[in-house]
Amino acid sequence: GTMPDAVKGSLKGIEYAAYAKEGLGLDEEAGHDVDKMLSLKNDCPAAFNLLGVLAFKAGDKEQAKNYFKQAIEADPGYGEAHANLGVLYWGMDQRGEGFSHLKKGFTLSPTAPDVSSLYYSAVSSSGNFPEAEIDFAEACRLNPNHRNLVFLYIDILIQQGKFDSAILKIEDALALFGLDEGTL
């Protein structure tokens, strides 16, 4: 790969490699990288989170839940692990528990891949738009250039019939992101 050697052997480098392998479906190789991560840092939250993802994919939900909880114990501010735990609970029909973890994951890591979309899905199916509006407004204030957040926020306004606010936000978004096929 093109990763510099100093990074490659580092915990962060191994973490990136492990998550990339999992994304490509090379779960066994990702598992070997997790072992390396834990040998460098025995309470590595990213390793526990990935173990949870691998357990989930293997169909072992209880084990996955334990790993996500270990990741959160190791780093209470780790949004992705909260989001993953939320997805797990939601899928097990423990919706209240699922929603609160998805919300927490979003609050901690609104720009992490998929986290905002997962929370938005939970909001849509539970109809909990007023609460989500507050969360998305704050996330957009902190991350004003994050396109996905802005568009989900606009949608939450529209779902509640707040068209005047939505139109102002759409105008801001057009000024910020320009106009292209995707925006329309």
Side-chain angles (χ1 to χ4, degrees):
T2 53
M3 210 184 277
D5 286 336
V7 177
K8 200 181 293 176
S10 74
L11 189 56
K12 207 66 186 155
I14 298 167
E15 179 187 328
Y16 287 133
Y19 277 85
K21 288 171 189 171
E22 183 276 322
L24 294 167
L26 304 169
D27 292 355
E28 199 176 326
E29 290 180 36
H32 295 311
D33 283 343
V34 168
D35 294 339
K36 284 186 215 165
M37 290 159 73
L38 291 170
S39 71
L40 289 171
K41 185 176 194 283
N42 65 2
D43 67 340
C44 175
F48 292 133
N49 184 60
L50 188 51
L51 282 170
V53 170
L54 295 170
F56 182 77
K57 284 169 79 175
D60 191 343
K61 289 181 178 173
E62 277 308 308
Q63 184 67 301
K65 192 198 306 183
N66 292 334
Y67 282 132
F68 294 140
K69 285 181 172 174
Q70 271 183 284
I72 291 165
E73 274 168 40
D75 176 7
Y78 192 9
E80 286 102 322
H82 279 285
N84 286 333
L85 194 52
V87 169
L88 190 63
Y89 278 122
W90 193 269
M92 293 162 84
D93 270 337
Q94 298 176 21
R95 295 230 159 163
E97 194 80 8
F99 188 88
S100 67
H101 280 288
L102 286 165
K103 177 185 170 76
K104 178 108 176 161
F106 175 78
T107 307
L108 292 167
S109 308
T111 61
D114 300 332
V115 170
S116 58
S117 305
L118 289 168
Y119 178 47
Y120 175 81
S121 298
V123 166
S124 287
S125 67
S126 63
N128 209 338
F129 290 108
E131 183 179 342
E133 183 186 338
I134 297 164
D135 297 334
F136 272 88
E138 178 64 4
C140 288
R141 194 179 64 73
L142 297 172
N143 306 282
N145 298 321
H146 198 279
R147 193 184 171 116
N148 193 41
L149 283 178
V150 171
F151 284 107
L152 290 173
Y153 180 43
I154 289 168
D155 196 68
I156 286 167
L157 293 169
I158 291 170
Q159 295 291 337
Q160 298 178 90
K162 297 187 174 182
F163 300 115
D164 293 347
S165 307
I167 285 168
L168 291 174
K169 282 278 153 215
I170 290 167
E171 287 170 355
D172 291 347
L174 290 176
L176 193 57
F177 305 121
L179 190 56
D180 59 41
E181 268 74 278
T183 311
L184 285 177

